[in-house]
């Protein structure tokens, strides 16, 4: 399948948009529900194909669940407890780095051997970041030169004290999950604070863990209970509409039930610094996650420099920020973003290629991008590079281009947000 999407220029963006459940939280809740004792009910579970990959792998590990799309995308799962069933075939992680990296922490604690594999893009992504610490805990892992497929032979794990060389919430979560199956106390230190959904979710399911500075500690042998919850809307999916609002000063957008976790919400600070008017109402905490209703008014936007801890905090939003950068007054510079090269595509190349295709000036750096502001782009035919965030980011750039834009391979948006294009059409005014 190779679909194309035509995106025509717009005049404005107005309305209310409800987002599917956050992808990072959906993965974690599904995995923890699977190893909990008792049932869980997860409403507004992500509709993305990545989170379906996690559910598929859990089924292959003997976990019983049912999906009720008509009832607010609810997943009802019966926890298997800490012991899963040996799969009879390879666990298919599809395109999902989160599935292979986080679930491997649970598989490593099982008394069987399992293969974890994925599509062509996943098969290119680096896994030594989980192989090294899981092997130190006692798991045996074979790989293709540090890439999937992985063959994990689990067993009784021992706790480790580990300093992560790469800032990655997927790796941190993988090791916290493995820590549940280890003898003793596992301590993980991250070089920068990354999203804390793993820690928040573990506490919601009844685990105890402590954080001291940039380190988290978890004791092995803890039992989890199930939860009933409504998953907050995905902020990284909302980012496309928020950045679209930034393109048109008359825009007005309301986003109810949106995830506002401080380790994820850096985008809101950056957009406000750039000039967008943002307010939040109805703030509440659900199972430790902050949720609220967001109101956004478009305004002329200045530009920004994103580096260091900001780059890590904004890693999934950089494609769309870069895609609107030429329309800002001063442009956007992204630094310290080496990780962008090992996402679903090499996002530095994908962004630079597509911006140039639309007639923009852009400088590709080894670890970032420099995109001058005050530019007018033209529509053209672009490639998604099979990367959901690139397909969606460039459909936003297309809204202010001259002429129409065709996005080839647009079906990959379904990896995180299957209804993205129809929702966007609903919100734009022409
Ligand atoms: C995620 C962490 C980030 C992010 C990914 C989701 C998570 O990846 O890019 O989309 O849910 O923990 P890294 O852990 O590789 O930084």
């Amino acid at each position: 399948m190779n679909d194309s999407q035509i995106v025509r220029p717009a005049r404005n963006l107005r309305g209310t948009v409800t987002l599917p459940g956050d992808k990072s939280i959906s993965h974690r809740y599904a995995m923890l529900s699977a190893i909990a004792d008792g049932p869980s009910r997860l409403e507004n579970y992500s509709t993305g194909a990545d989170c379906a990959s996690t559910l598929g792998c859990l089924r292959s590990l003997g976990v019983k669940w049912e999906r009720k799309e008509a009832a607010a995308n609810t997943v009802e799962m019966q926890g298997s407890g800490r012991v899963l069933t040996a799969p009879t075939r390879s666990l298919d992680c599809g395109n999902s780095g989160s599935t292979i990296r986080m679930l491997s922490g649970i598989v490593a604690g099982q008394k069987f051997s399992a293969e974890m594999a994925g599509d062509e893009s996943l098969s290119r992504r680096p896994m030594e970041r989980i192989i090294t610490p899981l092997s130190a805990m006692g798991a045996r892992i074979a790989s293709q030169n540090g890439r999937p497929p992985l063959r994990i032979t689990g067993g009784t794990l021992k706790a480790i004290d580990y300093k992560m060389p790469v800032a990655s919430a997927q790796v941190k979560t993988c090791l916290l999950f493995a820590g549940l199956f280890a003898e003793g106390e596992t301590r993980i230190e991250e070089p920068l604070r990354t999203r804390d959904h793993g820690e928040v979710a573990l506490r919601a399911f009844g685990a105890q863990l402590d954080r001291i500075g940039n380190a988290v500690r978890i004791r092995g042998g803890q039992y989890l209970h199930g939860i009933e919850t409504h998953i907050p809307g995905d902020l990284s999916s909302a980012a496309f509409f928020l950045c679209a609002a930034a393109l048109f000063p008359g825009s007005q957008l309301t986003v109810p039930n949106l995830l506002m976790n401080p380790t994820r919400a850096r985008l809101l600070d950056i957009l406000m610094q750039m000039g967008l008017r943002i307010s939040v109402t109805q703030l509440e905490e659900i199972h430790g996650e902050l949720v609220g209703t967001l109101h956004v008014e478009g305004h002329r936007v200045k530009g920004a420099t994103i580096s260091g801890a900001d780059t890590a905090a904004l890693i999934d939003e950089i494609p769309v920020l870069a895609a609107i950068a030429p329309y800002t007054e001063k442009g956007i510079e992204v630094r310290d973003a080496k990780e962008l090269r090992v996402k679903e595509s090499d996002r530095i190349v994908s962004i630079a290629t597509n911006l140039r295709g639309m007639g923009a000036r852009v400088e590709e750096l080894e670890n970032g991008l420099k995109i001058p502001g005050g530019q007018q782009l033209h529509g053209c035919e672009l490639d998604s590079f099979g990367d959901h965030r690139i397909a969606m980011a460039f459909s936003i750039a297309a809204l202010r281009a001259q002429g129409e834009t065709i996005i080839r391979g647009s079906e990959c948006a379904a990896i995180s947000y299957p209804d993205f294009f129809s929702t966007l059409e609903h919100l734009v005014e022409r």
Side-chain angles (χ1 to χ4, degrees):
M1 187 169 72
N2 205 345
D3 291 352
S4 286
Q5 182 76 38
I6 299 175
V7 185
R8 286 178 295 124
R11 182 168 53 84
N12 224 338
L13 209 85
R14 266 172 198 273
T16 298
V17 58
T18 315
L19 277 308
D22 184 71
K23 181 159 98 68
S24 292
I25 296 179
S26 296
H27 283 298
R28 287 164 170 84
Y29 281 2
M31 292 178 199
L32 292 179
S33 299
I35 56 166
D37 291 318
S40 289
R41 183 181 155 85
L42 311 175
E43 279 176 24
N44 200 34
Y45 188 81
S46 165
T47 50
D50 268 8
C51 293
S53 292
T54 286
L55 290 177
C57 291
L58 293 175
R59 178 156 283 158
S60 303
L61 290 163
V63 181
K64 305 256 179 308
W65 55 262
E66 234 185 295
R67 191 161 190 165
K68 299 184 170 157
E69 270 153 50
N73 280 305
T74 297
V75 172
E76 287 179 351
M77 194 177 285
Q78 188 56 49
S80 293
R82 296 165 53 89
V83 180
L84 302 178
T85 308
T88 51
R89 53 194 157 87
S90 173
L91 300 172
D92 182 3
C93 304
N95 189 245
S96 176
S98 296
T99 306
I100 196 165
R101 294 201 181 115
M102 302 198 292
L103 191 57
S104 61
I106 292 175
V107 170
Q110 304 298 316
K111 293 195 171 26
F112 53 70
S113 162
E115 187 184 81
M116 303 184 83
D119 68 9
E120 205 195 310
S121 149
L122 192 68
S123 305
R124 286 194 302 265
R125 299 185 63 187
M127 295 296 143
E128 75 286 345
R129 54 187 67 190
I130 54 159
I131 296 174
T132 305
L134 287 177
S135 305
M137 292 177 88
R140 277 189 290 125
I141 306 182
S143 69
Q144 307 302 309
N145 270 327
R147 297 187 157 68
L150 305 179
R151 158 117 345 237
I152 304 184
T153 307
T156 310
L157 302 180
K158 54 178 185 291
I160 48 165
D161 185 340
Y162 188 65
K163 249 190 173 169
M164 289 172 22
V166 187
S168 160
Q170 290 174 352
V171 175
K172 174 177 59 173
T173 303
C174 162
L175 300 179
L176 287 173
F177 287 180
L180 276 179
F181 295 91
E183 278 168 7
E185 192 177 74
T186 296
R187 180 178 174 279
I188 300 143
E189 191 176 327
E190 39 185 358
L192 296 169
R193 255 328 253 285
T194 63
R195 62 189 75 187
D196 64 0
H197 303 302
E199 297 93 299
V200 172
L202 277 160
R203 286 200 185 99
F205 282 78
Q208 280 183 357
L209 58 167
D210 343 288
R211 169 170 280 285
I212 303 162
N214 275 2
V216 203
R217 288 188 316 197
I218 188 161
R219 212 175 5 86
Q222 301 190 54
Y223 286 84
L224 307 180
H225 57 67
I227 63 166
E228 280 195 17
T229 195
H230 186 94
I231 298 176
D234 194 319
L235 184 55
S236 301
S237 298
F240 299 104
F241 305 128
L242 303 184
C243 288
L247 296 178
F248 307 105
S251 299
Q252 274 191 347
L253 207 61
T254 299
V255 193
N257 186 46
L258 187 65
L259 177 71
M260 299 273 167
N261 177 317
T263 62
R264 283 286 292 287
R266 193 76 189 101
L267 175 74
L268 306 183
D269 303 328
I270 293 280
L271 289 176
M272 280 194 283
Q273 277 165 24
M274 282 167 62
L276 216 62
R277 297 184 176 148
I278 297 182
S279 61
V280 178
T281 57
Q282 288 167 301
L283 207 57
E284 59 176 323
E285 209 180 283
I286 304 178
H287 286 295
E289 290 288 3
L290 211 53
V291 185
T293 296
L294 193 81
H295 308 272
V296 184
E297 270 179 56
H299 197 259
R300 278 175 47 187
V301 283
K302 287 186 262 210
T305 298
I306 302 166
S307 63
D310 281 348
T311 303
L314 283 164
I315 199 77
D316 291 343
E317 289 75 63
I318 286 172
V320 67
L321 283 167
I324 63 162
Y327 305 116
T328 62
E329 283 173 16
K330 301 240 162 70
I332 292 184
E333 187 173 336
V334 179
R335 292 201 294 253
D336 308 317
K338 191 162 119 203
E339 279 293 300
L340 285 181
R341 296 223 181 254
V342 290
K343 292 290 178 188
E344 287 83 332
S345 68
D346 177 338
R347 287 185 174 158
I348 293 180
V349 170
S350 319
I351 291 167
T353 307
N354 282 350
L355 282 175
R356 286 193 190 112
M358 297 180 87
R361 274 174 294 122
V362 47
E363 196 181 329
E364 187 183 322
L365 313 171
E366 200 186 324
N367 295 335
L369 292 150
K370 243 189 208 172
I371 308 158
Q375 307 192 59
Q376 176 58 54
L377 309 190
H378 56 73
C380 66
E381 212 173 312
L382 298 176
D383 195 0
S384 70
F385 293 87
D387 182 335
H388 55 131
R389 298 205 198 277
I390 296 297
M392 295 187 276
F394 281 89
S395 68
I396 301 303
L399 297 176
R400 240 188 80 177
Q402 273 165 358
E404 41 177 63
T405 301
I406 299 171
I407 308 207
R408 284 192 313 259
S410 56
E411 75 283 350
C412 64
I415 287 296
S416 57
Y417 195 177
D419 291 333
F420 171 75
F421 288 107
S422 56
T423 308
L424 181 64
E425 265 314 290
H426 208 70
L427 292 173
V428 296
E429 294 182 337
R430 292 206 162 84

